[in-house]
Amino acid sequence: MEIFLIKLLQFLLAISLLVLLHEGGHFFFSKLFGVRVEKFYMFFDPSIWKWDGSIFKWKPKKSDTTYGIGWLPLGGYCKISGMIDESFDTEQMKQPVQPWEFRSKPAWQRLLIMIGGVLVNFLLALFIYAMVLFTWGDTYLSPNDMTMGMKFNDEAKALGFKDGDILVGTDKKTFEKFDVDVYRDMTKANQIIVLRDGAQVAIPVSEPLSLLEMLKTQPAFARPFVPSEIDSVMAGTPASELGLKKGDHIVALNDKEIDSWNSFDYEMSRLQDAMTGAKTAADSLSIRTVTLAYQHGDKGETDTVAVQLTEDLRLGIIKTTLMNYYKETHREYGFFESLPAGIGYGWNVLRGYVGDLKYLFTSDGAKSLGGFGAIGSLFPAQWDWQMFWLMTAFLSIVLAFMNILPIPALDGGHVLFLLYEMITGKTPSEKFMIAAEYVGFGLIILLMLVANLNDVLRWLGYM
């Protein structure tokens, strides 16, 4: 429960900050050009019976703007006088045009008002990335420093990879960091270069690899080799009852050879899959009772025992990690160095995110969609300011890109109609704008329902 609350708090803080600043971008340009903002709300406030939907609201004296917090945490909004938006206020549009209204302003001013939120979110993300680099620097693992090489799945081995190969790069670039960009680069490669037995070997790629397939399959296409060495043992667990100690190695599970934590995790995932099909307590007990072989130290004797895992399939060990075996690279940034580095970092994140959207239109891509639960789960289980700000910057970039898509009801839809007006000199009819707003709003609600339904199905074990 504590972990859930920590993740939830981080998610709500990040989303609140991003929504506030996004709407603040619209607010800023509206005020700059003398456009009246009637409501500035964090979250939506649909009325329920006699309640207007506001948890909090406040209107300063001599101000035209009511500030408030709605009950529905799906975003926020700025109600700008004289425009058709998600409020669907058509009565106002029937009145004579007033000088303080959005519709009375030149097209270029209306365009800046509409892109204000996206602009703020994008600049905010770049600023956060720069300040993260300035404050904490950049720490990463290089594939070249993974001297024990990688573990590859069967699909990778069919292409010519071998366990122990060290990923060096492709015919187009050398790998600097081991992150998702390594997989992205491999999807664009004609050849992938590995270091094998001290010599570079080029592995041809005849058909483009799928990023989604490489990441979602179990075991993954390629992952760093981490020996199955125990770092520590938790008290009161099956592992402590067996007498396992720091430095012991797991060498087999249910007669399947274990040479690394990679293969251990794979076998445990198979047990988890089997547990979803257990119909009785006896079935569950049978699955949880495993045969475990472990070695004392590096070259000690090997014992094979039967052990009963906990109900959530835990043995009770803390694993060694990449950092136990491979050297990290750390780079510090001065303030002025961090600014261009942050811009480059943010641009790379945006480019990767946009490139990955093509997988959304596949069946597996649609299943990978996640709602609020999936987004919240990306935050760390312990409060970590560096990870919090990195996640906030990423969400800010996602929010900026999604809002600029040319979909009615989003900022990008309004921008599209404004560009049409600027090019042709013609304004879309009010009837068309209202219909487009309804269609766009319906598409957004449908997408949110699908994404959050996926969260529920994953939680229930159906996905």
Side-chain angles (χ1 to χ4, degrees):
M1 187 63 177
E2 181 182 354
I3 291 175
F4 170 78
L5 291 175
I6 291 173
K7 287 176 177 280
L8 177 64
L9 183 59
Q10 291 178 90
F11 171 71
L12 290 177
L13 179 59
I15 290 297
S16 298
L17 175 66
L18 297 180
V19 169
L20 181 66
L21 292 177
H22 177 91
E23 299 304 329
H26 297 309
F27 185 89
F28 170 79
F29 283 105
S30 296
K31 290 295 186 181
L32 182 65
F33 299 129
V35 175
R36 181 176 294 174
V37 177
E38 298 174 16
K39 296 178 76 174
F40 184 91
Y41 260 63
M42 174 78 69
F43 307 147
F44 294 116
D45 60 332
S47 58
I48 300 176
W49 196 37
K50 296 182 179 181
W51 180 41
D52 68 358
S54 300
I55 296 174
F56 163 82
K57 63 179 179 180
W58 173 62
K59 187 175 183 180
K61 292 181 179 179
K62 299 181 180 181
S63 173
D64 298 312
T65 306
T66 299
Y67 302 89
I69 301 174
W71 66 269
L72 187 61
L74 299 181
Y77 71 98
C78 236
K79 188 177 186 308
I80 299 172
S81 295
M83 73 170 289
I84 297 171
D85 58 11
E86 58 270 18
S87 67
F88 299 105
D89 186 358
T90 57
E91 289 302 316
Q92 185 183 72
M93 304 301 290
K94 295 176 183 178
Q95 306 302 318
V97 177
Q98 300 298 327
W100 62 78
E101 289 187 328
F102 177 82
R103 55 182 168 164
S104 72
K105 302 301 177 181
W108 68 270
Q109 291 186 4
R110 285 180 279 144
L111 181 65
L112 284 174
I113 290 171
M114 293 318 304
I115 67 173
V118 168
L119 183 63
V120 166
N121 279 134
F122 187 64
L123 293 178
L124 174 67
L126 300 184
F127 177 74
I128 291 175
Y129 282 130
M131 292 302 96
V132 167
L133 291 175
F134 172 65
T135 305
W136 289 283
D138 190 14
T139 301
Y140 58 89
L141 286 166
S142 170
N144 288 325
D145 291 328
M146 295 178 182
T147 52
M148 287 184 278
M150 317 286 287
K151 290 278 290 183
F152 296 89
N153 67 12
D154 291 338
E155 289 77 8
K157 289 176 181 176
L159 294 174
F161 292 94
K162 294 183 178 180
D163 286 341
D165 286 350
I166 299 173
L167 291 170
V168 174
T170 70
D171 52 317
K172 299 179 180 179
K173 67 179 296 185
T174 300
F175 298 140
E176 180 183 359
K177 303 178 181 179
F178 185 75
D179 55 19
V180 70
D181 282 340
V182 166
Y183 296 96
R184 288 195 183 109
D185 291 335
M186 288 196 288
T187 66
K188 305 170 187 175
N190 298 312
Q191 290 184 329
I192 300 172
I193 314 301
V194 300
L195 190 65
R196 182 182 297 166
D197 299 326
Q200 287 195 359
V201 177
I203 298 174
V205 181
S206 56
E207 295 183 4
L209 298 169
S210 165
L211 177 66
L212 196 61
E213 288 293 328
M214 293 171 76
L215 293 176
K216 81 178 186 69
T217 53
Q218 288 296 328
F221 185 88
R223 60 265 189 235
F225 181 89
V226 182
S228 52
E229 180 181 356
I230 296 172
D231 181 75
S232 58
V233 176
M234 292 180 278
T237 63
S240 65
E241 293 174 5
L242 285 176
L244 293 176
K245 294 182 176 61
K246 177 182 177 66
D248 288 350
H249 289 70
I250 306 297
V251 296
L253 180 65
N254 283 345
D255 298 324
K256 299 288 186 180
E257 181 184 355
I258 302 296
D259 63 352
S260 63
W261 288 130
N262 314 92
S263 52
F264 178 83
D265 290 342
Y266 175 60
E267 294 302 327
M268 292 298 289
S269 70
R270 293 178 62 188
L271 291 178
Q272 191 68 57
D273 290 341
M275 282 290 283
T276 60
K279 297 180 179 179
T280 66
D283 291 339
S284 174
L285 181 60
S286 175
I287 294 167
R288 291 192 292 118
T289 304
V290 299
T291 302
L292 185 74
Y294 62 95
Q295 184 181 69
H296 300 284
D298 287 329
K299 299 179 181 179
E301 296 181 356
T302 299
D303 287 334
T304 302
V305 295
V307 59
Q308 184 177 309
L309 304 177
T310 63
E311 291 186 359
D312 56 353
L313 294 180
R314 288 190 305 117
L315 180 59
I317 54 175
I318 304 297
K319 307 170 188 174
T320 51
T321 66
L322 287 169
M323 278 59 78
N324 290 98
Y325 305 100
Y326 304 121
K327 179 188 71 175
E328 288 183 316
T329 299
H330 181 77
R331 180 178 176 184
E332 295 284 348
Y333 289 86
F335 180 78
F336 293 107
E337 285 181 301
S338 70
L339 298 177
I343 292 172
Y345 193 113
W347 178 252
N348 187 56
V349 171
L350 175 62
R351 184 175 57 185
Y353 176 76
V354 173
D356 295 346
L357 284 180
K358 62 186 176 185
Y359 297 107
L360 183 62
F361 303 100
T362 65
S363 59
D364 286 334
K367 291 177 183 177
S368 69
L369 270 176
F372 298 118
I375 296 171
S377 68
L378 296 176
F379 286 92
Q382 295 179 329
W383 197 280
D384 183 322
W385 280 112
Q386 182 180 7
M387 289 303 301
F388 169 80
W389 287 117
L390 286 174
M391 272 303 305
T392 302
F394 174 70
L395 292 178
S396 193
I397 280 183
V398 171
L399 184 62
F401 178 77
M402 296 302 290
N403 263 285
I404 204 60
L405 291 176
I407 299 173
L410 293 178
D411 296 342
H414 294 284
V415 168
L416 178 65
F417 297 138
L418 280 167
L419 290 176
Y420 168 81
E421 178 185 342
M422 295 172 73
I423 294 170
T424 66
K426 299 178 181 179
T427 305
S429 70
E430 182 181 317
K431 184 177 180 180
F432 171 80
M433 293 289 287
I434 292 172
E437 195 78 9
Y438 273 114
V439 170
F441 200 72
L443 288 173
I444 294 168
I445 293 297
L446 179 62
L447 181 62
M448 292 181 67
L449 286 173
V450 170
N452 285 285
L453 178 61
N454 283 350
D455 284 352
V456 173
L457 293 175
R458 276 190 285 268
W459 181 66
L460 294 174
Y462 291 107
M463 289 183 63

